[in-house]
Amino acid sequence: MPRLHRIQADGEEMMSDRIALVEDDSGGRKVASAMLSRSGMDVIAFASAEDFLRVRPDVSVVLTDLMMPGMDGMELLRGARQADVDLEVILMTAFGTVENAVEAMKHGANDFITKPLRRSEIVKAVAKAIEKRALVVENRDLRARLAQGPLSALIGSSPAMADLLEEARQVADSVATVLVTGESGTGKGILARWIHAHSPRARSRLVEVNCSALPENLLESELFGYEAGAFTDAKGKKVGRFDLAHEGTLFLDEIA
């Protein structure tokens, strides 16, 4: 049996990016800033949302308190995302509720964490947000390159992307089944096409199947095909996607 290789499309290497911390409580601001700084992160702190929006620093992630005098964290979230749609925002509060979290996510928050802050939790949340932003930005750049040239020209510049492509090159040479995972928009489809283009199967067909678009009762016949007369409406032979992808690559998209 072929082995299963699992490639994460949302790499695990933390990028080095500046973080904005917005917290009106001076003690809480010092504690959170120290937690992040001890983890090697570059932090710039603000005492209010108004101060942050006045300066509009070049940052990848904003970590902001939800309940603040004047402009609160939700207003900051909306204002910051209007200026930079790729900006990752994490809300923190001592009054965490399911309703707060849902509302935050609806407006584009990356995460929602409750106080008192735990160093492991806050560092993990910020690192994840940094990685997501880097991948979204890089994915947009890769899409632009893809529109301009062949897949063979697809390269990444970040250490995380370089590691990912190196792993992809290794599995591309094999006959293994490859599982590509990652959040929506991180470029799983582009990576799958890259693997095919750099494999010994590149001269043959890449057959893409959007599994979520296939009704359950048609999935089997679409994948495996059928002979004429196999069932009542089978008037002719249908070649399945597995046969179509013979000596090529079958890309099963949206398998979740």
Side-chain angles (χ1 to χ4, degrees), residues 9-10 135-136 138-140 142-143 154 161 164 180-194 251:
D10 55 351
L135 286 167
V136 168
E138 188 149 22
N139 182 48
R140 188 175 58 225
L142 293 176
R143 286 180 184 275
L154 200 62
M161 183 59 74
L164 176 64
V180 183
T181 65
E183 296 182 24
S184 178
T186 52
K188 298 184 295 295
I190 291 178
L191 181 60
R193 297 180 194 102
W194 191 96
F251 174 34

mmCIF file of all heavy atoms in Angstrom, residues 9-10 135-136 138-140 142-143 154 161 164 180-194 251:
data_model
loop_
_atom_site.group_PDB
_atom_site.id
_atom_site.type_symbol
_atom_site.label_atom_id
_atom_site.label_comp_id
_atom_site.label_asym_id
_atom_site.label_seq_id
_atom_site.Cartn_x
_atom_site.Cartn_y
_atom_site.Cartn_z
ATOM 1 N N ALA A 9 -0.692 22.842 4.949
ATOM 2 C CA ALA A 9 -0.623 24.059 4.149
ATOM 3 C C ALA A 9 -0.509 25.296 5.023
ATOM 4 O O ALA A 9 -0.369 26.388 4.531
ATOM 5 C CB ALA A 9 -1.858 24.186 3.250
ATOM 6 N N ASP A 10 -0.595 25.137 6.318
ATOM 7 C CA ASP A 10 -0.461 26.290 7.205
ATOM 8 C C ASP A 10 0.730 26.057 8.129
ATOM 9 O O ASP A 10 0.619 25.946 9.317
ATOM 10 C CB ASP A 10 -1.739 26.538 8.019
ATOM 11 C CG ASP A 10 -2.176 25.307 8.799
ATOM 12 O OD1 ASP A 10 -1.601 24.240 8.574
ATOM 13 O OD2 ASP A 10 -3.074 25.445 9.642
ATOM 14 N N LEU A 135 0.748 33.438 5.150
ATOM 15 C CA LEU A 135 0.315 32.510 4.112
ATOM 16 C C LEU A 135 -0.730 33.125 3.192
ATOM 17 O O LEU A 135 -0.719 32.887 1.986
ATOM 18 C CB LEU A 135 -0.222 31.226 4.747
ATOM 19 C CG LEU A 135 0.850 30.311 5.327
ATOM 20 C CD1 LEU A 135 0.220 29.233 6.200
ATOM 21 C CD2 LEU A 135 1.685 29.675 4.225
ATOM 22 N N VAL A 136 -1.635 33.926 3.753
ATOM 23 C CA VAL A 136 -2.643 34.587 2.924
ATOM 24 C C VAL A 136 -1.979 35.558 1.959
ATOM 25 O O VAL A 136 -2.301 35.596 0.768
ATOM 26 C CB VAL A 136 -3.679 35.315 3.810
ATOM 27 C CG1 VAL A 136 -4.551 36.240 2.968
ATOM 28 C CG2 VAL A 136 -4.566 34.305 4.523
ATOM 29 N N GLU A 138 1.181 35.510 0.970
ATOM 30 C CA GLU A 138 1.986 34.775 0.014
ATOM 31 C C GLU A 138 1.119 34.045 -1.007
ATOM 32 O O GLU A 138 1.459 33.962 -2.186
ATOM 33 C CB GLU A 138 2.883 33.772 0.740
ATOM 34 C CG GLU A 138 3.878 33.103 -0.189
ATOM 35 C CD GLU A 138 5.165 32.745 0.523
ATOM 36 O OE1 GLU A 138 5.164 32.619 1.758
ATOM 37 O OE2 GLU A 138 6.184 32.593 -0.171
ATOM 38 N N ASN A 139 -0.026 33.535 -0.548
ATOM 39 C CA ASN A 139 -0.931 32.858 -1.468
ATOM 40 C C ASN A 139 -1.437 33.819 -2.533
ATOM 41 O O ASN A 139 -1.557 33.450 -3.709
ATOM 42 C CB ASN A 139 -2.115 32.263 -0.702
ATOM 43 C CG ASN A 139 -3.061 31.511 -1.601
ATOM 44 O OD1 ASN A 139 -2.641 30.692 -2.409
ATOM 45 N ND2 ASN A 139 -4.335 31.782 -1.464
ATOM 46 N N ARG A 140 -1.728 35.055 -2.149
ATOM 47 C CA ARG A 140 -2.163 36.054 -3.118
ATOM 48 C C ARG A 140 -1.061 36.330 -4.131
ATOM 49 O O ARG A 140 -1.309 36.462 -5.334
ATOM 50 C CB ARG A 140 -2.552 37.337 -2.396
ATOM 51 C CG ARG A 140 -3.212 38.370 -3.303
ATOM 52 C CD ARG A 140 -3.681 39.580 -2.517
ATOM 53 N NE ARG A 140 -2.584 40.197 -1.805
ATOM 54 C CZ ARG A 140 -2.650 40.595 -0.549
ATOM 55 N NH1 ARG A 140 -3.750 40.405 0.143
ATOM 56 N NH2 ARG A 140 -1.618 41.176 0.035
ATOM 57 N N LEU A 142 1.324 34.204 -4.943
ATOM 58 C CA LEU A 142 1.475 33.014 -5.775
ATOM 59 C C LEU A 142 0.391 32.937 -6.839
ATOM 60 O O LEU A 142 0.644 32.510 -7.973
ATOM 61 C CB LEU A 142 1.443 31.762 -4.900
ATOM 62 C CG LEU A 142 2.610 31.571 -3.937
ATOM 63 C CD1 LEU A 142 2.394 30.340 -3.079
ATOM 64 C CD2 LEU A 142 3.930 31.463 -4.692
ATOM 65 N N ARG A 143 -0.827 33.350 -6.487
ATOM 66 C CA ARG A 143 -1.906 33.364 -7.469
ATOM 67 C C ARG A 143 -1.585 34.331 -8.599
ATOM 68 O O ARG A 143 -1.876 34.059 -9.769
ATOM 69 C CB ARG A 143 -3.228 33.745 -6.801
ATOM 70 C CG ARG A 143 -3.826 32.653 -5.936
ATOM 71 C CD ARG A 143 -5.141 33.103 -5.316
ATOM 72 N NE ARG A 143 -5.680 32.112 -4.417
ATOM 73 C CZ ARG A 143 -6.434 31.089 -4.790
ATOM 74 N NH1 ARG A 143 -6.733 30.929 -6.067
ATOM 75 N NH2 ARG A 143 -6.884 30.221 -3.903
ATOM 76 N N LEU A 154 6.387 28.517 -9.835
ATOM 77 C CA LEU A 154 5.800 28.763 -8.524
ATOM 78 C C LEU A 154 6.854 28.566 -7.435
ATOM 79 O O LEU A 154 7.328 27.463 -7.207
ATOM 80 C CB LEU A 154 4.649 27.793 -8.311
ATOM 81 C CG LEU A 154 3.604 28.139 -7.261
ATOM 82 C CD1 LEU A 154 2.895 29.430 -7.606
ATOM 83 C CD2 LEU A 154 2.603 27.014 -7.148
ATOM 84 N N MET A 161 7.302 28.543 3.611
ATOM 85 C CA MET A 161 6.944 28.109 2.262
ATOM 86 C C MET A 161 8.066 27.295 1.631
ATOM 87 O O MET A 161 7.816 26.326 0.906
ATOM 88 C CB MET A 161 6.615 29.325 1.388
ATOM 89 C CG MET A 161 6.159 28.960 -0.027
ATOM 90 S SD MET A 161 4.676 27.911 -0.051
ATOM 91 C CE MET A 161 3.433 29.120 0.398
ATOM 92 N N LEU A 164 7.788 23.888 2.981
ATOM 93 C CA LEU A 164 6.609 23.238 2.411
ATOM 94 C C LEU A 164 6.884 22.726 1.003
ATOM 95 O O LEU A 164 6.570 21.587 0.656
ATOM 96 C CB LEU A 164 5.438 24.218 2.390
ATOM 97 C CG LEU A 164 4.151 23.730 1.733
ATOM 98 C CD1 LEU A 164 3.567 22.557 2.494
ATOM 99 C CD2 LEU A 164 3.139 24.863 1.639
ATOM 100 N N VAL A 180 -3.369 17.079 1.761
ATOM 101 C CA VAL A 180 -2.993 18.474 1.971
ATOM 102 C C VAL A 180 -4.054 19.111 2.855
ATOM 103 O O VAL A 180 -5.232 19.110 2.508
ATOM 104 C CB VAL A 180 -2.897 19.231 0.632
ATOM 105 C CG1 VAL A 180 -2.442 20.667 0.880
ATOM 106 C CG2 VAL A 180 -1.933 18.533 -0.311
ATOM 107 N N THR A 181 -3.637 19.640 3.998
ATOM 108 C CA THR A 181 -4.598 20.253 4.917
ATOM 109 C C THR A 181 -4.259 21.712 5.141
ATOM 110 O O THR A 181 -3.123 22.144 4.926
ATOM 111 C CB THR A 181 -4.601 19.525 6.280
ATOM 112 O OG1 THR A 181 -3.322 19.716 6.907
ATOM 113 C CG2 THR A 181 -4.875 18.042 6.115
ATOM 114 N N GLY A 182 -5.246 22.464 5.559
ATOM 115 C CA GLY A 182 -5.025 23.877 5.829
ATOM 116 C C GLY A 182 -6.333 24.630 5.789
ATOM 117 O O GLY A 182 -7.341 24.141 5.286
ATOM 118 N N GLU A 183 -6.305 25.845 6.314
ATOM 119 C CA GLU A 183 -7.508 26.651 6.342
ATOM 120 C C GLU A 183 -7.886 27.123 4.945
ATOM 121 O O GLU A 183 -7.060 27.126 4.030
ATOM 122 C CB GLU A 183 -7.309 27.861 7.260
ATOM 123 C CG GLU A 183 -7.095 27.491 8.720
ATOM 124 C CD GLU A 183 -6.949 28.719 9.601
ATOM 125 O OE1 GLU A 183 -7.446 29.798 9.213
ATOM 126 O OE2 GLU A 183 -6.335 28.614 10.671
ATOM 127 N N SER A 184 -9.135 27.534 4.804
ATOM 128 C CA SER A 184 -9.625 28.033 3.522
ATOM 129 C C SER A 184 -8.818 29.246 3.077
ATOM 130 O O SER A 184 -8.554 30.154 3.864
ATOM 131 C CB SER A 184 -11.106 28.417 3.659
ATOM 132 O OG SER A 184 -11.599 28.942 2.450
ATOM 133 N N GLY A 185 -8.397 29.233 1.810
ATOM 134 C CA GLY A 185 -7.656 30.366 1.266
ATOM 135 C C GLY A 185 -6.152 30.270 1.392
ATOM 136 O O GLY A 185 -5.439 31.179 0.961
ATOM 137 N N THR A 186 -5.640 29.182 1.973
ATOM 138 C CA THR A 186 -4.182 29.073 2.138
ATOM 139 C C THR A 186 -3.486 28.471 0.921
ATOM 140 O O THR A 186 -2.266 28.372 0.905
ATOM 141 C CB THR A 186 -3.836 28.228 3.384
ATOM 142 O OG1 THR A 186 -4.527 26.978 3.325
ATOM 143 C CG2 THR A 186 -4.239 28.961 4.642
ATOM 144 N N GLY A 187 -4.250 28.060 -0.088
ATOM 145 C CA GLY A 187 -3.624 27.607 -1.340
ATOM 146 C C GLY A 187 -3.466 26.113 -1.479
ATOM 147 O O GLY A 187 -2.542 25.643 -2.141
ATOM 148 N N LYS A 188 -4.367 25.339 -0.907
ATOM 149 C CA LYS A 188 -4.268 23.874 -0.991
ATOM 150 C C LYS A 188 -4.384 23.402 -2.442
ATOM 151 O O LYS A 188 -3.672 22.513 -2.875
ATOM 152 C CB LYS A 188 -5.352 23.215 -0.128
ATOM 153 C CG LYS A 188 -5.241 23.545 1.345
ATOM 154 C CD LYS A 188 -6.271 22.795 2.180
ATOM 155 C CE LYS A 188 -7.682 23.218 1.863
ATOM 156 N NZ LYS A 188 -7.931 24.634 2.230
ATOM 157 N N GLY A 189 -5.307 24.012 -3.202
ATOM 158 C CA GLY A 189 -5.479 23.628 -4.600
ATOM 159 C C GLY A 189 -4.259 23.945 -5.445
ATOM 160 O O GLY A 189 -3.853 23.154 -6.297
ATOM 161 N N ILE A 190 -3.672 25.113 -5.196
ATOM 162 C CA ILE A 190 -2.459 25.497 -5.929
ATOM 163 C C ILE A 190 -1.327 24.525 -5.619
ATOM 164 O O ILE A 190 -0.580 24.100 -6.510
ATOM 165 C CB ILE A 190 -2.047 26.938 -5.569
ATOM 166 C CG1 ILE A 190 -3.059 27.931 -6.135
ATOM 167 C CG2 ILE A 190 -0.643 27.252 -6.092
ATOM 168 C CD1 ILE A 190 -2.754 29.371 -5.797
ATOM 169 N N LEU A 191 -1.206 24.141 -4.343
ATOM 170 C CA LEU A 191 -0.154 23.202 -3.964
ATOM 171 C C LEU A 191 -0.370 21.843 -4.623
ATOM 172 O O LEU A 191 0.583 21.204 -5.082
ATOM 173 C CB LEU A 191 -0.106 23.057 -2.446
ATOM 174 C CG LEU A 191 0.967 22.112 -1.895
ATOM 175 C CD1 LEU A 191 2.359 22.589 -2.309
ATOM 176 C CD2 LEU A 191 0.873 22.009 -0.379
ATOM 177 N N ALA A 192 -1.624 21.393 -4.691
ATOM 178 C CA ALA A 192 -1.921 20.112 -5.339
ATOM 179 C C ALA A 192 -1.526 20.141 -6.815
ATOM 180 O O ALA A 192 -0.954 19.176 -7.341
ATOM 181 C CB ALA A 192 -3.407 19.795 -5.195
ATOM 182 N N ARG A 193 -1.806 21.240 -7.482
ATOM 183 C CA ARG A 193 -1.437 21.361 -8.900
ATOM 184 C C ARG A 193 0.077 21.451 -9.059
ATOM 185 O O ARG A 193 0.646 20.951 -10.034
ATOM 186 C CB ARG A 193 -2.128 22.586 -9.508
ATOM 187 C CG ARG A 193 -3.651 22.465 -9.487
ATOM 188 C CD ARG A 193 -4.347 23.691 -10.083
ATOM 189 N NE ARG A 193 -5.761 23.657 -9.733
ATOM 190 C CZ ARG A 193 -6.312 24.384 -8.772
ATOM 191 N NH1 ARG A 193 -5.559 25.232 -8.074
ATOM 192 N NH2 ARG A 193 -7.605 24.282 -8.511
ATOM 193 N N TRP A 194 0.732 22.097 -8.091
ATOM 194 C CA TRP A 194 2.198 22.193 -8.120
ATOM 195 C C TRP A 194 2.816 20.797 -8.006
ATOM 196 O O TRP A 194 3.770 20.470 -8.715
ATOM 197 C CB TRP A 194 2.661 23.094 -6.970
ATOM 198 C CG TRP A 194 4.105 23.499 -7.020
ATOM 199 C CD1 TRP A 194 4.619 24.651 -7.521
ATOM 200 C CD2 TRP A 194 5.226 22.727 -6.547
ATOM 201 N NE1 TRP A 194 5.984 24.659 -7.388
ATOM 202 C CE2 TRP A 194 6.387 23.493 -6.794
ATOM 203 C CE3 TRP A 194 5.354 21.481 -5.946
ATOM 204 C CZ2 TRP A 194 7.653 23.049 -6.455
ATOM 205 C CZ3 TRP A 194 6.625 21.029 -5.610
ATOM 206 C CH2 TRP A 194 7.755 21.819 -5.866
ATOM 207 N N PHE A 251 -7.131 14.594 -8.076
ATOM 208 C CA PHE A 251 -7.173 15.580 -6.997
ATOM 209 C C PHE A 251 -8.594 15.637 -6.444
ATOM 210 O O PHE A 251 -9.505 16.149 -7.082
ATOM 211 C CB PHE A 251 -6.736 16.950 -7.509
ATOM 212 C CG PHE A 251 -6.887 18.064 -6.512
ATOM 213 C CD1 PHE A 251 -6.700 17.865 -5.165
ATOM 214 C CD2 PHE A 251 -7.194 19.363 -6.942
ATOM 215 C CE1 PHE A 251 -6.837 18.899 -4.236
ATOM 216 C CE2 PHE A 251 -7.324 20.398 -6.034
ATOM 217 C CZ PHE A 251 -7.152 20.160 -4.682
#
